[in-house]
Amino acid sequence: MTLRAALPFERPSLPARPSLAELRANAVAGMVAGIIALPLSIALAVAVGVPPIAGLYTAVFAGAVAAIFGGSRYNITGPTAALVPLLSHVVLVHGPGALPMVALLAGIILVAMGVFRFGRLVRYMPGTVIVGFTAGIALSIAFGQLNAFLGVTGTNPSLEHFHERTLDTFRHLSTVGLTTPAVGLASLAILIAWPRFERRIPPALVAVVAVTAVTWALGIDTATVASKYGELPREVPRPSFGFFDAALIPDLIQPAIAVAILGGVESLLSAVVADGMAGQRIRHDPDRELRGQGIANIVVPFFGGIPATAAIARTAASIRAGATSRLAGVFHSVTVLTLTLALGPLAGHIPMATLAAVLLITAWKIAEVPEVTRLIRRAPREDVLVLVATILITLFLDLTYAIGFGVLASTILLVRRLVNVPAAAAMLPDASGRIAQVSDELSELIKSRPDIDFFTAQGLLSFHSAASFEYQLQGDAHRPLILRMKDVHHIDTTGLLTLEGIIEHRKQHGGRIILTAIQPEVRPVLERFGIIDLLGPENVFEHTKCAIASIDHPDQPHPEHEQGAHRLARAG
């Protein structure tokens, strides 16, 4: 999965008076997204362990609210495969009635994330971690559909862990008949073959309609939506507070945090992909998108829905169909609601094996198997270990642990690599006789002064580089040292303490240390910490050439001394 940095954005807004052509284009795009969302919403709700209508209501209400209040002009929101393992675990432990509370809590957390501007942090999520937990989620979904796809019976529904459920499925393979696997394989064949002949009509819709019609007409004995969940209601739900249970809050905080984090990451990645597909100058507002997704998750439990997030596949389909604004998301919701009210009773005849086949294809797509294979073959060994470990932790433990481990491990690897980058380097001539990154005049001047140590500080002076920085500057403490700071744009407390120690060591041995070319964002930090006072303004210069002149004439005032004194007076 490729992470693309979002460009500077302008706040997206709904046009006051959209033209007729824009209304028509977004209505068509919304209808396409709604038709795709209908079977997926049913399948995802069933995968989580709640009635299909909950998935449909989620697409209707979360989709409309997120489209209106979100920060992306294109995102289509609803139930998604990414949340299935998390939500199914909540259903297993606390029952389906806990999901609305999880949605409410996750929505509040998402709004808080948007208020505190966490939206841009997704740019810093390591790509291997995102690919890893996404692949882990896909494997969890795929193995979770084996029972419905094959018609396995007699399994223990109370098993929590992936390996326990999988082993339980294999123990009961003897219960598999011929009818249900045949229905599942027929559905799978349609899902795979249909896009080769026709791309405009969603293959999931074709498979659901065709296989449902055949099994219903022929009276094939296989589990259906109605046999497991009953008939779908044909009415618009009224808002209800009956789901609220304050006693569940302590137990649901952790899964709500996980849902909020994963939902936020999924929605922001979808927005980035949408921006790239649409090719517009106006980019999404990541913080507003988090707030919009939060509001959607706060609203949806009052209408019988479950946690939702933006769906990359449905968003991409909407854009390909001509979406130009958030109106497409609103039309998507209207389409799902209309189809639910009109076709509700017919949905009860959908075979469970067909929905399992739809989710198997969905799992294959979100797993990005070619990308995972390429990373395992070509990425650095340490990154491959992080990727594989993230997949396994997602499967066998918990998504929250997987994200935490992946980010921590990637950070440790980054620090380890940064430690090997020199924090300071002597300014010495290269093979051509020149000193890099300085003018020819200054290069010749430096080479003519072997009595002075010349060093340039590099990158970040931080906890990861402080030891290397101190080691590089070790030498004859009696000699004058000119340290060029042009390439330093950040220095933390560890770096400041290290620099302070180097200055004090030189002064104790009668040596002199001069700083030159300090960046504007670094100088106030040095002044506030007392580094400039410790050096003395006479040892701070803009230009290395002036610093050399001050060593030759230490008692002669230099214009840069006066400038430094004025700056310090203003700062004080």
Side-chain angles (χ1 to χ4, degrees), residues 366-438:
I366 70 171
E368 299 196 38
V369 176
E371 180 75 1
V372 173
T373 305
R374 186 172 69 90
L375 288 176
I376 291 176
R377 291 176 56 190
R378 300 183 180 181
R381 185 175 58 183
E382 297 90 344
D383 291 340
V384 172
L385 289 175
V386 173
L387 171 64
V388 174
T390 304
I391 293 174
L392 294 177
I393 294 173
T394 301
L395 275 176
F396 292 100
L397 292 178
D398 184 82
L399 179 65
T400 311
Y401 295 134
I403 295 176
F405 165 81
V407 172
L408 179 61
S410 298
T411 303
I412 292 173
L413 289 176
L414 174 62
V415 172
R416 179 184 171 190
R417 290 162 182 163
L418 289 174
V419 166
N420 296 324
V421 178
M427 299 176 69
L428 300 174
D430 57 21
S432 66
R434 288 194 70 260
I435 296 175
Q437 297 183 343
V438 299

Side-chain angles (χ1 to χ4, degrees), residues 199-517:
R199 292 186 175 273
R200 290 173 296 179
I201 303 176
L205 182 66
V206 175
V208 166
V209 172
V211 176
T212 300
V214 171
T215 56
W216 186 20
L218 298 180
I220 295 175
D221 184 19
T222 185
T224 64
V225 170
S227 68
K228 186 168 184 178
Y229 296 101
E231 298 291 340
L232 271 65
R234 299 179 62 182
E235 58 184 9
V236 178
R238 296 180 180 179
S240 170
F241 293 83
F243 72 90
F244 189 83
D245 187 353
L248 285 176
I249 292 177
D251 294 331
L252 298 181
I253 281 293
Q254 182 176 346
I257 292 173
V259 168
I261 293 173
L262 182 57
V265 170
E266 186 83 358
S267 297
L268 294 176
L269 288 178
S270 177
V272 171
V273 171
D275 288 343
M277 290 183 64
Q280 298 291 325
R281 182 176 63 87
I282 298 178
R283 299 289 176 170
H284 73 282
D285 180 337
D287 298 314
R288 181 177 173 182
E289 178 63 19
L290 290 180
R291 294 194 299 271
Q293 293 293 333
I295 295 170
N297 278 279
I298 290 172
V299 169
V300 77
F302 292 95
F303 294 92
I306 61 177
T309 181
I312 295 176
R314 275 161 268 174
T315 300
S318 174
I319 293 172
R320 292 193 192 102
T324 62
S325 75
R326 59 189 68 233
L327 283 169
V330 176
F331 280 116
H332 144 267
S333 295
V334 173
T335 300
V336 174
L337 179 61
T338 302
L339 292 175
T340 300
L341 296 177
L343 306 177
L346 298 178
H349 299 285
I350 299 174
M352 297 294 292
T354 300
L355 296 180
V358 170
L359 287 175
L360 286 174
I361 294 296
T362 301
W364 173 267
K365 290 179 179 178
I366 70 171
E368 299 196 38
V369 176
E371 180 75 1
V372 173
T373 305
R374 186 172 69 90
L375 288 176
I376 291 176
R377 291 176 56 190
R378 300 183 180 181
R381 185 175 58 183
E382 297 90 344
D383 291 340
V384 172
L385 289 175
V386 173
L387 171 64
V388 174
T390 304
I391 293 174
L392 294 177
I393 294 173
T394 301
L395 275 176
F396 292 100
L397 292 178
D398 184 82
L399 179 65
T400 311
Y401 295 134
I403 295 176
F405 165 81
V407 172
L408 179 61
S410 298
T411 303
I412 292 173
L413 289 176
L414 174 62
V415 172
R416 179 184 171 190
R417 290 162 182 163
L418 289 174
V419 166
N420 296 324
V421 178
M427 299 176 69
L428 300 174
D430 57 21
S432 66
R434 288 194 70 260
I435 296 175
Q437 297 183 343
V438 299
S439 66
D440 291 338
E441 180 184 0
L442 181 57
S443 177
E444 293 300 322
L445 181 58
I446 291 174
K447 288 191 293 182
S448 70
R449 299 303 301 267
D451 57 312
I452 304 174
D453 291 333
F454 294 94
F455 281 85
T456 180
Q458 299 173 336
L460 307 177
L461 292 186
S462 183
F463 68 93
H464 77 276
S465 60
S468 172
F469 179 71
E470 187 173 20
Y471 176 79
Q472 292 292 330
L473 294 183
Q474 285 180 352
D476 188 352
H478 298 88
R479 292 159 58 90
L481 167 65
I482 295 178
L483 180 60
R484 192 165 177 259
M485 303 282 287
K486 184 177 181 180
D487 295 329
V488 177
H489 295 274
H490 172 76
I491 180 168
D492 69 2
T493 301
T494 306
L496 290 166
L497 290 170
T498 302
L499 182 57
E500 183 181 59
I502 293 170
I503 295 170
E504 290 176 343
H505 178 71
R506 288 267 171 174
K507 292 178 73 173
Q508 287 172 3
H509 289 79
R512 182 180 177 189
I513 180 169
I514 300 174
L515 302 185
T516 68

Side-chain angles (χ1 to χ4, degrees), residues 445 449 541 544-554 556 558:
L445 181 58
R449 299 303 301 267
F541 288 87
T544 303
K545 185 163 59 175
C546 299
I548 296 172
S550 76
I551 293 175
D552 294 333
H553 307 285
Q556 180 177 338
H558 191 277

Side-chain angles (χ1 to χ4, degrees), residues 103-134:
L104 179 66
L105 295 173
I108 294 171
I109 294 169
L110 280 165
V111 170
M113 289 168 63
V115 170
F116 290 103
R117 300 187 177 276
F118 282 11
R120 291 164 180 79
L121 294 182
V122 71
R123 302 181 192 175
Y124 306 106
M125 179 76 73
T128 50
V129 177
I130 293 176
V131 174
F133 73 67
T134 303

